[in-house]
């Protein structure tokens, strides 16, 4: 059974600071996704990582994938309040379905 | 871009009644659709995978007779919560594979179900 764990589960950070969210998964997979969810809303796609060593960046967010370590990271640079949301990683299990991580609730304060 | 339409966005029903939620891919054909359930402040839990024209595959612990899934066409999947009870109150989200390219998953806007 595939398990996908994120840490931290909750992150409160000051504007302007940097931080990294970690996503560990238990079974081999070459595809990993990052999503953002605002309260009461559905998911917004952030990144799709398709191979070992993949790195993608959009604005203040950068995601990477290490398939050998079964680890993905989402790095936040110089956080701003608008980044406050819950972030999920999701692993493509056997190219068959997406299994979601536990989620990281990010709160950015002045 | 790929769009998945989910309706209704909110529904309140009485205990013991059934509720149907629709998920449509608007500009692409989705041979596979997925249904997730999300409780407050929790992650998305995959309930079932539906393939057009065949029976849905349910995840372990999901009651097949309670959560009926139909995928009658390449653009429509429905989830019916039968004999709903307050514990079925949750946020239900559908997803379709295919709209975002070979590796893409497109999500619906979700349905907030409240059973009173």
């Amino acid at each position: 059974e595939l398990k996908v764990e994120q840490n931290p589960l909750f992150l409160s950070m000051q504007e302007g600071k940097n931080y990294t969210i970690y996503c560990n998964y238990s079974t081999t997979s070459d595809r990993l996704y990052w999503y953002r969810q605002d309260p009461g809303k559905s998911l917004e796609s952030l990144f799709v990582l398709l191979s070992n060593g993949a790195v993608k960046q959009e604005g203040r967010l950068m995601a990477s994938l290490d398939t050998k370590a079964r680890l993905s990271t989402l790095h936040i640079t110089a956080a701003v309040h608008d980044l406050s949301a819950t972030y999920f990683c999701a692993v493509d299990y056997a190219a068959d379905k997406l299994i979601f991580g536990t989620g990281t609730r990010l709160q950015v304060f002045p | 871009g790929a769009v998945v339409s989910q309706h209704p966005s909110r529904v309140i029903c009485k205990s013991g009644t059934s509720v149907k939620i629709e998920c449509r891919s608007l500009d692409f054909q989705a041979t596979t659709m997925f249904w997730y359930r999300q409780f407050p402040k929790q992650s998305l839990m995959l309930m079932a995978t539906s393939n057009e024209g065949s029976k849905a595959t349910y995840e372990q612990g999901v009651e097949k007779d309670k959560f009926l899934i139909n995928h009658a066409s390449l653009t429509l999947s429905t989830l019916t919560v039968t004999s709903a009870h307050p514990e079925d109150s949750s946020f239900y989200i559908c997803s379709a594979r295919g709209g975002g390219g070979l590796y893409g998953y497109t999500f619906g806007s979700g349905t907030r179900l409240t059973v009173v």
Side-chain angles (χ1 to χ4, degrees):
Chain A
E1 180 190 347
L2 173 63
K3 290 187 178 180
V4 186
E5 295 182 342
Q6 289 178 233
N7 75 81
L9 298 181
F10 179 74
L11 176 56
S12 181
M13 58 189 298
Q14 195 171 18
E15 281 188 331
K17 299 292 186 182
N18 305 330
Y19 208 84
T20 300
I21 299 170
Y22 297 88
C23 172
N24 292 90
Y25 52 99
S26 61
T27 303
T28 302
S29 175
D30 289 334
R31 299 174 203 159
L32 189 136
Y33 302 75
W34 283 96
Y35 295 93
R36 168 182 171 143
Q37 185 179 39
D38 290 299
K41 304 290 186 183
S42 188
L43 301 177
E44 174 189 348
S45 179
L46 295 176
F47 301 108
V48 179
L49 302 169
L50 299 176
S51 62
N52 186 41
V55 177
K56 289 198 174 178
Q57 182 165 4
E58 180 73 35
R60 301 175 187 275
L61 301 178
M62 183 173 71
S64 67
L65 177 62
D66 181 343
T67 58
K68 294 180 181 178
R70 299 177 185 171
L71 170 69
S72 179
T73 62
L74 180 67
H75 186 73
I76 303 159
T77 302
V80 293
H81 179 72
D82 285 351
L83 289 179
S84 298
T86 299
Y87 293 85
F88 291 99
C89 63
V91 176
D92 202 329
Y93 183 52
D96 186 43
K97 55 190 175 184
L98 276 186
I99 303 298
F100 280 81
T102 44
T104 296
R105 191 151 63 99
L106 171 65
Q107 186 175 45
V108 182
F109 60 92
Chain B
V3 177
V4 170
S5 175
Q6 186 173 343
H7 291 281
S9 57
R10 292 177 181 272
V11 58
I12 300 173
C13 71
K14 291 186 177 180
S15 191
T17 62
S18 296
V19 174
K20 181 184 285 188
I21 302 169
E22 290 191 350
C23 180
R24 293 180 185 273
S25 56
L26 296 186
D27 49 4
F28 66 99
Q29 293 184 332
T31 54
T32 305
M33 288 188 174
F34 306 86
W35 287 94
Y36 291 86
R37 181 175 183 176
Q38 186 180 32
F39 290 110
K41 293 186 169 58
Q42 293 190 24
S43 184
L44 282 75
M45 300 300 297
L46 180 64
M47 299 174 67
T49 302
S50 74
N51 292 294
E52 184 264 337
S54 62
K55 289 184 178 180
T57 301
Y58 290 81
E59 296 297 305
Q60 193 172 7
V62 177
E63 297 176 62
K64 302 178 183 182
D65 294 334
K66 181 165 192 61
F67 299 99
L68 301 180
I69 292 172
N70 184 280
H71 194 160
S73 76
L74 285 171
T75 59
L76 174 64
S77 177
T78 60
L79 167 67
T80 301
V81 182
T82 63
S83 186
H85 288 94
E87 57 265 31
D88 299 323
S89 298
S90 188
F91 192 50
Y92 293 87
I93 304 175
C94 71
S95 171
R97 185 164 60 200
L102 184 61
Y103 306 112
Y105 292 83
T106 305
F107 286 82
S109 53
T111 297
R112 173 75 58 195
L113 170 64
T114 303
V115 184
V116 297

